[in-house]
Amino acid sequence: MKLNFLDFEQPIAELEAKIEELRFVDSDNAINLSDEISRIEAKSRKLTESIFASLTSWQISQLARHPQRPQMPQYVERIFTDFEELHGDRCFGDDAAVIGGTARLEGRPVMLIGTVKGVDTKEKVRRNFGMPRPEGYRKALRLMQMAERFRLPIFTFIDTPGAYPGVGAEERGQSEAIARNLFAMSTLQTPIICTVIGEGGSGGALAIGVGDRVLMLQYSTYSVISPEGCASILWKSAAKAPEAAEIMAITSERLKGFGLIDEIIPEPLGGAHRDVDAMAREIKRALLASLGELKNTPTEKLLSMRYERLMHFGTYQESANKTTTLMM
Amino acid sequence: MSWFEKLLPSKIRTEGNGPKKTVPEGLWTKCESCASVLFRTELERNLDVCPKCNHHMRIGARQRLDHFLDAEPRTEIGAELAPVDALKFRDSKRYKDRLTQAHKDTGENDALIVVRGKLKGMPLVACAFEFRFMGGSMGAVVGERFVRAVNHCLEQRIPLVCFSASGGARMQEGLFSLMQMAKTSAALARLSERGIPFISVLTDPTMGGVSASLAMLGDVNVAEPKALIGFAGPRVIEQTVREVLPEGFQRAEFLMEHGTIDMIVNRHDMRDRIARLLAMLTHQS
């Protein structure tokens, strides 16, 4: 597959194009160019390393939404076996923006749930660009409750711009569907491990993001509103998105620093899309490690730890006087 | 912009920065709905409901709780909590300055007020969002105060009532604010497990992160007439679907029709109806 380069990767793209050219010449020519090729390859790697060593939040946000960013199905086929997709919310329909079903992880049965954006245009439209409607969240809830019944640990994979803002979605109770998931996931009697693999867009991401462990791929993002949305509210201009990305703290590194996520899963050089197999191996390692820590925890302890974790989110000042009598 | 406006020199253009539609503080108020001119004191006596057309105007959190609760006793919970600027957030203004300004405008230090009191003699905890404080947005202090309200209800085994009025999560607190949705919902799950009633009253407007968490999780969801309630704002939806939204979209009556809320209650009847409901849910006469 031909790689797609972002703006800030242009110097790398130029080198890669040169390598491509030389390879072409090399293949139908007597002159041996392999030394030259490996020299430029090394240069390209070095350049990539230096560019990726200091990415801005906005550049990471572009990587998280990269057109070739691997999506949940690509990881599922590499990490799990026997995936059996289960459809529908039993109330209204089947939302293709959310997929879920049973699978095995190293032989152990588990439940998988995730949001999927789609790869080509046709699939993107079918999956509504990864923006779930209430029936998507209700399908997720149904599968999570089923996992609880059959004692299957739950793995969720988050990659969504957010819940779909549409007329039908509102009519069918988008708010209630999200709220219900937050409510139910906090007491679900089975381990829940959530991984943000691309874009973690607001409430639509959180609705499958409440768990015992929250992991993020290195170049994924998780935010309360998209940088464009934030910019258009605060600066009245979506063009200020790069600034908004910076101040909102949406990258894995900053969020880990605040203790809002548990672990960063490192990505291959140049991002997950450069080497999906390597990325999948890293994710598998992280998921197995997290599950290993949780699987022998007694349910009661698991739930109280999950609760405490949620209660600790947020910083505030607290002054000495405990209660005040009220003056209206 | 129309062609005519483009002809005007920029100094004369009024686009976007016309006089702000604010009603001056004074003796008289104009009803936004029927345009009747109303005597301020009389309007206040009528709980800020237009006596001509029953339009429910937005009211402040303390005023709201004052109407709702018995006069005595009242104890505030979580007043000792104050917001901090964890992200050092700065857009055109610093978050810190916005907080100071909001404090100046409202006298509050964050957007949720929690009070333990009585409703017709029944002890309970009531909380209300102050919409004038940064659009009633939910940050860490709002989340923590709400959780303390729930904890108090758990300890005392008394019901919880929340009046929401909020634009959603507070952007200036980044992901911390998103996590308040999970935090408040988890606390409500505990309340529900213990069989303690939670009545959520959705008032104008209840949107975004507050609507998609605590406000929709009432054992009974109540709304005030014509309150705007939804997940995505109407402007965002309009831009996404590129059509004009139907009249009454996302209003309380619309939500009732679609099965999201249990009842629409006039502000005047709120005390009676909620007291009656809570008495039944807690097996009191």
Side-chain angles (χ1 to χ4, degrees), chain A residues 170 175 317-319 322 326, chain B residues 62 80 82 148 211 232 250:
Chain A
E170 294 289 326
S175 287
Q317 277 172 36
E318 187 158 10
S319 56
K322 275 289 169 206
L326 187 63
Chain B
R62 289 199 190 263
E80 65 278 14
R148 291 190 183 188
S211 152
Q250 291 184 323

Side-chain angles (χ1 to χ4, degrees), chain A residues 28-29 71 112 127 146 160 174 181 210 238 270 273 292 300 326:
Chain A
D28 62 11
N29 210 318
Q71 300 184 18
L112 308 181
R127 298 203 184 278
M146 184 172 141
T160 174
Q174 188 72 287
N181 282 15
V210 179
H273 59 287
E300 210 163 288
L326 187 63

Side-chain angles (χ1 to χ4, degrees), chain A residues 58-327:
Chain A
W58 177 239
Q59 288 166 339
I60 290 173
S61 165
Q62 286 171 288
L63 279 169
R65 301 188 271 191
H66 194 286
Q68 289 170 319
R69 184 93 181 157
Q71 300 184 18
M72 176 187 171
Q74 287 164 272
Y75 293 134
V76 169
E77 65 183 34
R78 285 170 174 81
I79 299 171
F80 302 89
T81 56
D82 303 310
F83 178 55
E84 203 60 68
E85 189 175 353
L86 304 171
H87 291 274
D89 69 341
R90 300 287 188 273
C91 302
F92 179 80
D94 182 42
D95 187 344
V98 175
I99 64 175
T102 51
R104 287 181 187 272
L105 175 62
E106 303 266 280
R108 185 202 167 112
V110 298
M111 182 66 81
L112 308 181
I113 291 162
T115 46
V116 187
K117 292 177 171 178
V119 179
D120 55 46
T121 311
K122 211 174 143 197
E123 193 197 350
K124 280 180 185 159
V125 170
R126 186 167 68 85
R127 298 203 184 278
N128 199 27
F129 300 85
M131 292 183 281
R133 297 181 167 95
E135 45 278 18
Y137 295 118
R138 290 181 181 134
K139 167 165 76 175
L141 180 60
R142 178 176 80 84
L143 297 181
M144 290 191 278
Q145 287 169 338
M146 184 172 141
E148 179 183 48
R149 239 174 3 258
F150 299 108
R151 292 174 294 111
L152 309 177
I154 299 168
F155 293 95
T156 73
F157 297 90
I158 297 164
D159 184 17
T160 174
Y164 185 61
V167 175
E170 294 289 326
E171 285 175 344
R172 297 191 293 279
Q174 188 72 287
S175 287
E176 196 274 345
I178 294 171
R180 189 61 54 195
N181 282 15
L182 306 179
F183 182 89
M185 288 179 92
S186 71
T187 58
L188 221 50
Q189 302 193 16
T190 189
I192 308 173
I193 297 163
C194 311
T195 311
V196 183
I197 58 173
E199 194 180 359
S202 193
L206 186 64
I208 57 163
V210 179
D212 303 298
R213 290 283 185 282
V214 178
L215 321 176
M216 275 178 83
L217 300 199
Q218 188 178 4
Y219 303 128
S220 61
T221 58
Y222 200 176
S223 62
V224 63
I225 182 171
S226 70
E228 290 85 350
C230 175
S232 62
I233 293 173
L234 293 178
W235 283 278
K236 317 275 176 230
S237 153
K240 291 274 190 188
E243 280 94 327
E246 207 60 59
I247 54 171
M248 278 201 300
I250 63 176
T251 62
S252 59
E253 206 179 299
R254 303 245 352 237
L255 295 173
K256 177 85 177 19
F258 286 126
L260 288 166
I261 62 158
D262 302 292
E263 191 186 333
I264 300 172
I265 307 178
E267 295 197 20
L269 182 62
H273 59 287
R274 294 282 199 100
D275 192 344
V276 185
D277 292 330
M279 187 72 253
R281 279 196 299 277
E282 256 329 291
I283 298 176
K284 186 172 184 176
R285 181 203 54 73
L287 296 184
L288 282 168
S290 289
L291 185 61
E293 290 160 23
L294 298 170
K295 70 178 177 204
N296 295 323
T297 314
T299 307
E300 210 163 288
K301 179 140 187 255
L302 186 76
L303 293 189
S304 71
M305 275 162 40
R306 190 185 302 161
Y307 191 78
E308 284 314 310
R309 180 195 148 82
L310 291 171
M311 292 308 125
H312 277 104
F313 287 148
T315 46
Y316 43 80
Q317 277 172 36
E318 187 158 10
S319 56
N321 55 329
K322 275 289 169 206
T323 46
T324 4
T325 311
L326 187 63
M327 309 292 241

Side-chain angles (χ1 to χ4, degrees), chain A residues 12-49:
Chain A
I12 307 171
E14 279 162 27
L15 285 180
E16 292 293 325
K18 210 181 243 170
I19 295 170
E20 202 56 32
E21 236 169 72
L22 288 175
R23 281 220 178 97
F24 184 71
V25 177
D26 194 33
S27 63
D28 62 11
N29 210 318
I31 319 159
N32 190 347
L33 293 171
S34 59
D35 283 355
E36 179 68 2
I37 292 176
S38 54
R39 195 183 62 79
I40 304 182
E41 272 175 346
K43 197 174 162 193
S44 166
R45 202 164 34 246
K46 223 168 175 187
L47 185 66
T48 313
E49 271 166 18

Side-chain angles (χ1 to χ4, degrees), chain B residues 101-165:
Chain B
Q101 187 60 43
H103 176 71
K104 245 188 234 162
D105 293 346
T106 62
E108 305 297 344
N109 60 14
D110 215 312
L112 185 77
I113 316 294
V114 180
V115 176
R116 186 207 153 121
K118 285 185 173 177
L119 173 65
K120 303 204 168 190
M122 175 194 290
L124 49 62
V125 174
C127 46
F129 279 80
E130 176 54 68
F131 188 73
R132 289 180 305 137
F133 193 100
M134 296 190 73
S137 56
M138 177 159 69
V141 170
V142 170
E144 179 64 18
R145 280 188 188 160
F146 189 83
V147 167
R148 291 190 183 188
V150 171
N151 288 344
H152 194 83
C153 293
L154 283 168
E155 280 160 27
Q156 308 287 321
R157 294 202 61 84
I158 54 176
L160 176 66
V161 176
C162 176
F163 295 89
S164 47

